[in-house]
Coordinates of all heavy atoms in Angstrom, one line a residue:
K676 N 22.2 -0.6 -121.6 CA 23.6 -0.8 -121.3 C 23.9 -1.1 -119.8 O 23.5 -0.4 -118.9 CB 24.4 0.5 -121.6 CG 25.0 0.5 -123.0 CD 25.8 1.8 -123.1 CE 26.8 1.7 -124.3 NZ 27.5 3.0 -124.4
L677 N 24.4 -2.2 -119.7 CA 24.8 -2.6 -118.4 C 26.3 -2.4 -118.1 O 27.1 -3.0 -118.7 CB 24.4 -4.0 -118.1 CG 22.9 -4.3 -118.0 CD1 22.7 -5.8 -117.8 CD2 22.3 -3.6 -116.8
V678 N 26.5 -1.5 -117.4 CA 27.9 -1.3 -117.1 C 28.2 -1.9 -115.7 O 27.6 -1.4 -114.7 CB 28.2 0.2 -117.1 CG1 29.7 0.5 -116.8 CG2 27.8 0.8 -118.4
V679 N 29.0 -2.8 -115.8 CA 29.4 -3.4 -114.5 C 30.8 -2.9 -114.2 O 31.7 -3.1 -114.9 CB 29.3 -5.0 -114.6 CG1 29.8 -5.5 -113.3 CG2 27.9 -5.4 -114.9
L680 N 30.7 -2.3 -113.2 CA 32.1 -1.8 -112.8 C 32.6 -2.7 -111.7 O 32.0 -2.9 -110.6 CB 32.0 -0.4 -112.2 CG 31.7 0.7 -113.3 CD1 31.4 2.0 -112.6 CD2 32.8 0.8 -114.3
A681 N 33.6 -3.3 -112.0 CA 34.3 -4.2 -111.0 C 35.4 -3.4 -110.4 O 36.3 -2.9 -111.0 CB 34.9 -5.4 -111.7
L682 N 35.2 -3.3 -109.2 CA 36.2 -2.6 -108.4 C 37.2 -3.6 -107.8 O 36.9 -4.4 -107.0 CB 35.6 -1.8 -107.3 CG 34.8 -0.5 -107.8 CD1 34.1 0.1 -106.6 CD2 35.7 0.5 -108.4
A683 N 38.4 -3.4 -108.3 CA 39.4 -4.3 -107.8 C 40.0 -3.6 -106.6 O 40.5 -2.5 -106.6 CB 40.5 -4.5 -108.8
G684 N 39.8 -4.2 -105.6 CA 40.3 -3.6 -104.3 C 41.7 -4.0 -104.1 O 42.1 -5.2 -104.0
F685 N 42.5 -3.0 -104.1 CA 43.9 -3.3 -103.8 C 44.2 -3.0 -102.3 O 43.9 -2.0 -101.8 CB 44.8 -2.3 -104.6 CG 44.8 -2.7 -106.1 CD1 43.9 -2.2 -107.0 CD2 45.8 -3.5 -106.5 CE1 44.0 -2.5 -108.3 CE2 45.9 -3.9 -107.9 CZ 45.0 -3.4 -108.8
T686 N 44.6 -4.1 -101.8 CA 44.9 -3.9 -100.4 C 46.3 -3.5 -100.2 O 47.3 -4.1 -100.6 CB 44.7 -5.3 -99.6 OG1 43.4 -5.8 -100.0 CG2 44.8 -5.1 -98.1
F687 N 46.4 -2.3 -99.8 CA 47.8 -1.8 -99.5 C 48.1 -2.1 -98.1 O 47.5 -1.7 -97.1 CB 47.8 -0.3 -99.7 CG 47.7 0.1 -101.1 CD1 46.5 0.4 -101.7 CD2 48.9 0.2 -101.8 CE1 46.5 0.8 -103.0 CE2 48.9 0.6 -103.2 CZ 47.7 0.9 -103.8
A688 N 49.2 -2.9 -98.1 CA 49.6 -3.3 -96.7 C 50.4 -2.1 -96.2 O 51.6 -1.9 -96.4 CB 50.5 -4.5 -96.7
C689 N 49.7 -1.2 -95.7 CA 50.3 0.0 -95.1 C 51.2 -0.3 -94.0 O 50.8 -0.9 -93.0 CB 49.3 1.0 -94.6 SG 48.0 1.3 -95.7
G690 N 52.4 0.0 -94.1 CA 53.4 -0.2 -93.0 C 53.0 0.9 -91.9 O 53.6 1.9 -91.9
G691 N 52.1 0.5 -91.1 CA 51.6 1.5 -90.2 C 52.6 1.9 -89.1 O 52.3 2.6 -88.2
G692 N 53.8 1.4 -89.3 CA 54.8 1.8 -88.3 C 54.6 1.0 -87.0 O 53.5 0.6 -86.7
D693 N 55.6 1.0 -86.2 CA 55.5 0.3 -84.9 C 54.7 1.1 -84.0 O 54.8 2.3 -83.9 CB 56.9 0.1 -84.3 CG 57.9 -0.5 -85.3 OD1 57.4 -0.9 -86.4 OD2 59.1 -0.5 -85.0
K694 N 53.8 0.4 -83.4 CA 53.0 1.1 -82.4 C 53.9 1.2 -81.1 O 54.1 0.3 -80.4 CB 51.8 0.3 -82.0 CG 50.6 0.6 -82.9 CD 49.4 -0.1 -82.4 CE 48.2 0.1 -83.4 NZ 47.1 -0.8 -83.1
T695 N 54.4 2.4 -81.0 CA 55.3 2.5 -79.8 C 54.5 2.3 -78.5 O 53.5 3.0 -78.2 CB 55.9 3.9 -79.7 OG1 55.0 4.8 -80.4 CG2 57.2 4.0 -80.4
A696 N 54.9 1.2 -77.9 CA 54.2 0.9 -76.6 C 54.3 2.1 -75.7 O 55.4 2.4 -75.2 CB 54.8 -0.3 -76.0
E697 N 53.2 2.7 -75.4 CA 53.3 3.8 -74.5 C 53.6 3.3 -73.1 O 52.8 2.6 -72.5 CB 52.0 4.6 -74.6 CG 52.0 5.6 -75.7 CD 50.6 6.0 -76.1 OE1 49.8 6.2 -75.2 OE2 50.3 6.2 -77.3
G698 N 54.7 3.7 -72.6 CA 55.1 3.3 -71.3 C 54.0 3.4 -70.3 O 53.5 4.5 -70.1
T699 N 53.6 2.3 -69.8 CA 52.5 2.4 -68.8 C 53.1 2.9 -67.5 O 53.3 2.1 -66.6 CB 51.8 1.1 -68.6 OG1 52.9 0.1 -68.5 CG2 50.9 0.8 -69.8
Q700 N 53.4 4.1 -67.5 CA 54.0 4.6 -66.2 C 52.9 4.9 -65.2 O 52.0 5.7 -65.4 CB 54.7 5.9 -66.5 CG 56.0 5.6 -67.2 CD 56.7 6.9 -67.5 OE1 56.2 8.0 -67.4 NE2 58.0 6.8 -67.9
E701 N 52.9 4.0 -64.2 CA 51.9 4.2 -63.2 C 52.1 5.5 -62.5 O 53.2 5.8 -62.0 CB 51.9 3.1 -62.2 CG 51.4 1.8 -62.9 CD 52.2 0.6 -62.4 OE1 52.4 0.5 -61.2 OE2 52.6 -0.2 -63.2
A702 N 51.1 6.3 -62.4 CA 51.3 7.5 -61.7 C 51.6 7.1 -60.2 O 50.8 6.5 -59.5 CB 50.0 8.3 -61.7
S703 N 52.7 7.5 -59.8 CA 53.1 7.1 -58.5 C 52.2 7.7 -57.4 O 51.9 8.8 -57.4 CB 54.6 7.5 -58.2 OG 54.6 8.9 -58.4
A704 N 51.7 6.8 -56.6 CA 50.7 7.2 -55.6 C 51.4 7.8 -54.4 O 51.2 7.4 -53.3 CB 49.9 6.0 -55.2
T705 N 52.1 8.8 -54.7 CA 52.9 9.5 -53.6 C 52.1 10.6 -53.0 O 52.6 11.6 -52.5 CB 54.2 10.0 -54.1 OG1 54.1 10.5 -55.4 CG2 55.3 8.9 -54.0
E706 N 50.8 10.5 -53.1 CA 50.0 11.5 -52.6 C 50.1 11.5 -51.1 O 49.6 10.6 -50.4 CB 48.5 11.3 -53.0 CG 48.0 12.3 -54.0 CD 46.6 12.0 -54.4 OE1 45.8 12.1 -53.5 OE2 46.3 11.7 -55.5
S707 N 50.7 12.4 -50.6 CA 50.8 12.5 -49.1 C 49.4 12.8 -48.6 O 48.9 13.9 -49.0 CB 51.8 13.5 -48.7 OG 51.5 14.8 -49.2
A708 N 48.9 12.0 -47.8 CA 47.5 12.1 -47.4 C 47.4 13.5 -46.7 O 47.3 13.6 -45.5 CB 47.1 11.0 -46.4
A709 N 47.4 14.5 -47.5 CA 47.4 15.9 -47.0 C 45.9 16.3 -46.7 O 45.5 17.4 -47.1 CB 48.0 16.8 -48.0
T710 N 45.2 15.4 -46.1 CA 43.9 15.7 -45.8 C 44.0 16.7 -44.7 O 44.5 16.5 -43.6 CB 43.1 14.5 -45.2 OG1 44.0 13.7 -44.4 CG2 42.6 13.6 -46.4
A711 N 43.4 17.8 -44.9 CA 43.6 19.0 -44.0 C 43.0 18.6 -42.7 O 41.9 19.1 -42.2 CB 42.9 20.2 -44.6
E712 N 43.7 17.7 -42.0 CA 43.2 17.2 -40.7 C 43.6 18.1 -39.6 O 44.8 18.5 -39.5 CB 43.7 15.8 -40.5 CG 42.6 14.8 -40.0 CD 43.1 13.4 -39.9 OE1 44.0 13.2 -39.0 OE2 42.7 12.6 -40.7
V713 N 42.7 18.3 -38.7 CA 43.0 19.2 -37.6 C 43.7 18.3 -36.5 O 43.3 17.2 -36.3 CB 41.8 19.8 -37.0 CG1 42.1 20.9 -36.0 CG2 40.9 20.4 -38.1
S714 N 44.8 18.8 -36.0 CA 45.4 18.0 -34.9 C 44.5 17.9 -33.7 O 43.6 18.8 -33.5 CB 46.7 18.6 -34.5 OG 46.5 19.8 -33.8
L715 N 44.7 16.9 -32.9 CA 43.9 16.7 -31.7 C 44.1 17.9 -30.8 O 43.1 18.4 -30.1 CB 44.2 15.4 -31.0 CG 43.7 14.2 -31.8 CD1 44.3 12.9 -31.1 CD2 42.2 14.1 -31.8
E716 N 45.3 18.4 -30.7 CA 45.6 19.6 -29.9 C 44.7 20.7 -30.3 O 44.1 21.4 -29.4 CB 47.0 20.0 -30.0 CG 48.0 19.1 -29.2 CD 48.7 18.1 -30.1 OE1 48.1 17.7 -31.1 OE2 49.9 17.8 -29.9
E717 N 44.7 20.9 -31.6 CA 43.9 22.0 -32.1 C 42.4 21.8 -31.8 O 41.7 22.8 -31.4 CB 44.1 22.1 -33.6 CG 43.6 23.4 -34.3 CD 44.3 24.6 -33.8 OE1 45.4 24.6 -33.4 OE2 43.6 25.7 -33.8
K718 N 42.0 20.6 -32.0 CA 40.6 20.3 -31.9 C 40.0 20.5 -30.5 O 38.9 21.0 -30.3 CB 40.4 18.8 -32.3 CG 38.9 18.3 -32.4 CD 38.9 16.9 -33.0 CE 37.6 16.3 -32.9 NZ 37.6 14.9 -33.5
Y719 N 40.8 20.3 -29.5 CA 40.3 20.3 -28.1 C 40.9 21.5 -27.3 O 40.7 21.5 -26.1 CB 40.6 19.0 -27.4 CG 39.8 17.8 -28.0 CD1 40.5 16.9 -28.8 CD2 38.4 17.7 -27.8 CE1 39.7 15.8 -29.3 CE2 37.7 16.7 -28.3 CZ 38.4 15.7 -29.1 OH 37.7 14.7 -29.6
K720 N 41.7 22.3 -27.9 CA 42.5 23.3 -27.1 C 41.6 24.2 -26.2 O 42.1 24.7 -25.2 CB 43.4 24.1 -28.0 CG 42.7 25.1 -29.0 CD 43.7 25.8 -29.7 CE 43.3 26.9 -30.7 NZ 41.9 27.0 -31.1
D721 N 40.4 24.4 -26.6 CA 39.5 25.3 -25.8 C 38.7 24.6 -24.7 O 38.0 25.2 -23.9 CB 38.6 26.1 -26.7 CG 39.4 27.0 -27.6 OD1 40.4 27.5 -27.2 OD2 38.9 27.2 -28.8
N722 N 38.8 23.2 -24.7 CA 38.0 22.5 -23.7 C 38.7 22.6 -22.4 O 39.9 22.3 -22.2 CB 38.0 21.0 -24.2 CG 37.0 20.2 -23.4 OD1 37.1 20.2 -22.2 ND2 36.2 19.5 -24.1
P723 N 37.9 22.9 -21.3 CA 38.5 23.1 -20.0 C 39.1 21.8 -19.4 O 40.1 21.8 -18.7 CB 37.3 23.5 -19.1 CG 36.1 23.4 -20.0 CD 36.5 23.3 -21.4
I724 N 38.6 20.7 -19.8 CA 39.2 19.4 -19.4 C 40.5 19.2 -20.0 O 41.5 18.8 -19.4 CB 38.2 18.2 -19.8 CG1 36.9 18.3 -19.0 CG2 38.9 16.9 -19.6 CD1 35.9 17.3 -19.5
Y725 N 40.6 19.6 -21.2 CA 41.9 19.5 -21.9 C 42.9 20.5 -21.3 O 44.0 20.1 -21.0 CB 41.7 19.9 -23.4 CG 42.9 20.0 -24.2 CD1 43.3 18.9 -24.9 CD2 43.7 21.2 -24.3 CE1 44.5 18.9 -25.7 CE2 44.8 21.2 -25.1 CZ 45.2 20.1 -25.8 OH 46.4 20.1 -26.5
I726 N 42.5 21.7 -21.0 CA 43.4 22.7 -20.5 C 44.0 22.3 -19.1 O 45.2 22.3 -18.9 CB 42.7 24.1 -20.4 CG1 42.4 24.6 -21.8 CG2 43.6 25.1 -19.7 CD1 41.4 25.7 -21.9
K727 N 43.0 21.8 -18.3 CA 43.4 21.4 -16.9 C 44.3 20.2 -16.9 O 45.3 20.1 -16.3 CB 42.1 21.1 -16.2 CG 42.3 20.9 -14.7 CD 40.9 20.8 -14.1 CE 40.8 20.4 -12.7 NZ 39.5 20.1 -12.3
G728 N 43.9 19.2 -17.7 CA 44.7 17.9 -17.8 C 46.1 18.2 -18.4 O 47.1 17.6 -17.9
L729 N 46.1 19.0 -19.4 CA 47.4 19.2 -20.1 C 48.4 19.9 -19.1 O 49.6 19.5 -19.1 CB 47.2 20.1 -21.3 CG 48.5 20.5 -22.1 CD1 49.2 19.3 -22.7 CD2 48.1 21.5 -23.2
E730 N 47.9 20.8 -18.3 CA 48.8 21.5 -17.4 C 49.4 20.4 -16.4 O 50.6 20.5 -16.1 CB 47.9 22.4 -16.6 CG 48.6 23.7 -16.1 CD 47.5 24.7 -15.6 OE1 47.0 25.4 -16.4 OE2 47.2 24.6 -14.4
K731 N 48.6 19.5 -15.9 CA 49.1 18.5 -15.0 C 50.0 17.5 -15.6 O 51.0 17.1 -15.0 CB 47.9 17.8 -14.3 CG 47.1 18.8 -13.5 CD 46.0 18.1 -12.6 CE 45.3 19.2 -11.8 NZ 44.3 18.6 -10.9
V732 N 49.7 17.1 -16.8 CA 50.5 16.2 -17.5 C 51.9 16.8 -17.8 O 52.9 16.2 -17.6 CB 49.8 15.7 -18.9 CG1 50.8 15.2 -19.8 CG2 48.7 14.8 -18.6
K733 N 51.9 18.1 -18.2 CA 53.1 18.8 -18.4 C 54.0 18.9 -17.2 O 55.2 18.9 -17.2 CB 52.8 20.2 -19.0 CG 52.7 20.2 -20.5 CD 52.6 21.6 -21.0 CE 52.5 21.8 -22.5 NZ 52.0 23.1 -22.8
A734 N 53.3 19.1 -16.0 CA 54.0 19.3 -14.8 C 54.6 17.9 -14.3 O 55.5 17.9 -13.4 CB 53.1 19.8 -13.7
S735 N 54.1 16.8 -14.8 CA 54.7 15.5 -14.4 C 55.7 15.0 -15.5 O 56.1 15.8 -16.3 CB 53.5 14.6 -14.2 OG 54.0 13.3 -13.7
D736 N 55.9 13.7 -15.5 CA 56.9 13.2 -16.4 C 56.3 12.5 -17.6 O 56.9 11.9 -18.4 CB 57.9 12.2 -15.7 CG 57.1 11.0 -15.2 OD1 55.9 11.0 -15.2 OD2 57.8 10.1 -14.6
C737 N 54.9 12.6 -17.7 CA 54.2 11.8 -18.8 C 54.7 12.0 -20.2 O 54.9 11.1 -21.0 CB 52.7 12.2 -18.8 SG 52.0 12.5 -17.1
T738 N 55.0 13.3 -20.5 CA 55.4 13.6 -21.9 C 56.8 13.0 -22.3 O 57.1 12.9 -23.4 CB 55.5 15.1 -22.1 OG1 56.1 15.7 -20.9 CG2 54.1 15.7 -22.3
G739 N 57.5 12.5 -21.3 CA 58.7 11.8 -21.6 C 58.5 10.5 -22.3 O 59.3 9.9 -23.0
C740 N 57.3 9.9 -22.0 CA 56.9 8.6 -22.6 C 55.7 8.6 -23.5 O 55.4 7.6 -24.2 CB 56.7 7.6 -21.4 SG 58.2 7.2 -20.5
H741 N 54.9 9.7 -23.4 CA 53.7 9.7 -24.2 C 53.6 11.0 -25.0 O 54.0 12.1 -24.6 CB 52.5 9.7 -23.3 CG 52.3 8.5 -22.5 ND1 51.8 7.3 -23.0 CD2 52.5 8.2 -21.1 CE1 51.7 6.4 -22.1 NE2 52.1 6.9 -20.9
Q742 N 53.2 10.8 -26.3 CA 52.8 12.0 -27.1 C 51.4 11.8 -27.5 O 50.8 10.8 -27.3 CB 53.7 12.0 -28.3 CG 55.1 12.5 -28.0 CD 55.9 12.8 -29.3 OE1 55.4 12.7 -30.4 NE2 57.1 13.2 -29.1
V743 N 50.8 12.9 -28.0 CA 49.4 12.9 -28.3 C 49.0 11.9 -29.4 O 48.2 11.1 -29.3 CB 48.9 14.3 -28.6 CG1 47.4 14.3 -29.1 CG2 49.0 15.2 -27.4
E744 N 49.8 12.0 -30.5 CA 49.4 11.2 -31.7 C 50.4 10.3 -32.2 O 50.3 9.7 -33.2 CB 48.9 12.1 -32.8 CG 47.7 13.0 -32.5 CD 47.0 13.6 -33.7 OE1 46.5 12.8 -34.5 OE2 46.9 14.8 -33.7
R745 N 51.5 10.1 -31.4 CA 52.6 9.3 -31.8 C 53.0 8.4 -30.7 O 53.3 8.9 -29.6 CB 53.8 10.1 -32.3 CG 54.7 9.3 -33.3 CD 55.5 10.3 -34.1 NE 56.4 11.1 -33.3 CZ 57.6 10.7 -32.9 NH1 58.1 9.6 -33.3 NH2 58.3 11.5 -32.2
K746 N 53.2 7.1 -30.9 CA 53.6 6.2 -29.9 C 55.1 6.4 -29.7 O 55.9 6.5 -30.7 CB 53.4 4.8 -30.3 CG 53.9 3.7 -29.4 CD 53.9 2.4 -30.1 CE 54.3 1.2 -29.1 NZ 55.6 1.4 -28.5
I747 N 55.6 6.6 -28.5 CA 57.0 6.6 -28.3 C 57.3 5.5 -27.3 O 57.4 4.3 -27.8 CB 57.6 8.0 -27.8 CG1 56.7 8.7 -26.8 CG2 57.7 8.9 -29.0 CD1 57.3 10.0 -26.2
I748 N 57.5 5.7 -26.1 CA 57.8 4.6 -25.2 C 56.4 4.0 -24.7 O 56.2 2.8 -24.7 CB 58.6 5.1 -23.9 CG1 60.0 5.5 -24.4 CG2 58.7 3.9 -22.9 CD1 60.8 6.3 -23.4
G749 N 55.5 4.9 -24.4 CA 54.2 4.4 -24.1 C 53.2 4.7 -25.3 O 53.6 5.4 -26.3
P750 N 52.0 4.2 -25.2 CA 51.1 4.4 -26.3 C 50.7 5.9 -26.5 O 50.9 6.7 -25.5 CB 49.8 3.6 -25.9 CG 50.0 3.5 -24.4 CD 51.4 3.4 -24.1
S751 N 50.3 6.3 -27.6 CA 49.9 7.7 -27.8 C 48.6 7.9 -27.0 O 47.8 7.0 -26.9 CB 49.7 8.1 -29.3 OG 48.5 7.5 -29.8
Y752 N 48.4 9.1 -26.6 CA 47.1 9.4 -25.9 C 45.9 9.1 -26.8 O 44.9 8.6 -26.4 CB 47.1 10.9 -25.5 CG 48.1 11.2 -24.4 CD1 48.6 12.5 -24.4 CD2 48.5 10.3 -23.5 CE1 49.5 12.9 -23.4 CE2 49.4 10.7 -22.5 CZ 49.9 11.9 -22.5 OH 50.9 12.3 -21.5
A753 N 46.1 9.4 -28.1 CA 45.0 9.1 -29.0 C 44.7 7.6 -29.1 O 43.5 7.2 -29.2 CB 45.4 9.6 -30.4
D754 N 45.7 6.8 -29.0 CA 45.5 5.3 -29.0 C 44.7 4.9 -27.7 O 43.9 4.0 -27.7 CB 46.8 4.5 -29.1 CG 47.3 4.6 -30.6 OD1 46.5 4.9 -31.5 OD2 48.5 4.2 -30.8
V755 N 45.2 5.5 -26.6 CA 44.5 5.2 -25.3 C 43.0 5.6 -25.4 O 42.1 4.9 -25.0 CB 45.2 5.8 -24.1 CG1 44.5 5.6 -22.8 CG2 46.7 5.3 -24.0
A756 N 42.8 6.8 -25.9 CA 41.4 7.3 -26.0 C 40.6 6.5 -26.9 O 39.4 6.3 -26.7 CB 41.5 8.8 -26.5
A757 N 41.2 5.9 -27.9 CA 40.4 5.0 -28.9 C 40.1 3.7 -28.2 O 39.1 3.1 -28.6 CB 41.3 4.8 -30.2
K758 N 40.9 3.3 -27.3 CA 40.7 2.0 -26.7 C 39.7 2.0 -25.6 O 38.9 1.0 -25.4 CB 42.1 1.5 -26.1 CG 42.1 0.1 -25.5 CD 43.5 -0.2 -25.0 CE 43.5 -1.5 -24.2 NZ 43.3 -2.7 -25.0
Y759 N 39.6 3.1 -24.8 CA 38.7 3.1 -23.7 C 37.6 4.1 -23.9 O 37.8 5.2 -24.3 CB 39.5 3.5 -22.4 CG 40.6 2.5 -22.0 CD1 41.9 2.8 -22.4 CD2 40.3 1.3 -21.4 CE1 43.0 1.9 -22.0 CE2 41.3 0.4 -21.1 CZ 42.6 0.7 -21.4 OH 43.7 -0.1 -21.1

Side-chain angles (χ1 to χ4, degrees):
K676 262 186 167 178
L677 288 175
V678 181
V679 178
L680 291 171
L682 286 171
F685 288 89
T686 311
F687 287 94
C689 309
D693 312 347
K694 274 187 186 168
T695 27
E697 274 161 39
T699 45
Q700 289 179 347
E701 291 142 43
S703 55
T705 39
E706 252 181 62
S707 56
T710 41
E712 224 174 71
V713 190
S714 73
L715 288 171
E716 284 104 323
E717 190 63 29
K718 188 170 171 183
Y719 294 107
K720 68 177 180 353
D721 296 327
N722 189 309
I724 293 172
Y725 177 91
I726 294 164
K727 192 172 170 189
L729 178 63
E730 211 167 275
K731 294 187 177 184
V732 161
K733 271 188 179 165
S735 186
D736 62 354
C737 322
T738 40
C740 292
H741 295 285
Q742 285 192 0
V743 173
E744 297 198 63
R745 200 161 63 88
K746 176 192 186 302
I747 43 173
I748 295 166
S751 73
Y752 294 150
D754 284 346
V755 176
K758 183 178 173 71
Y759 300 99

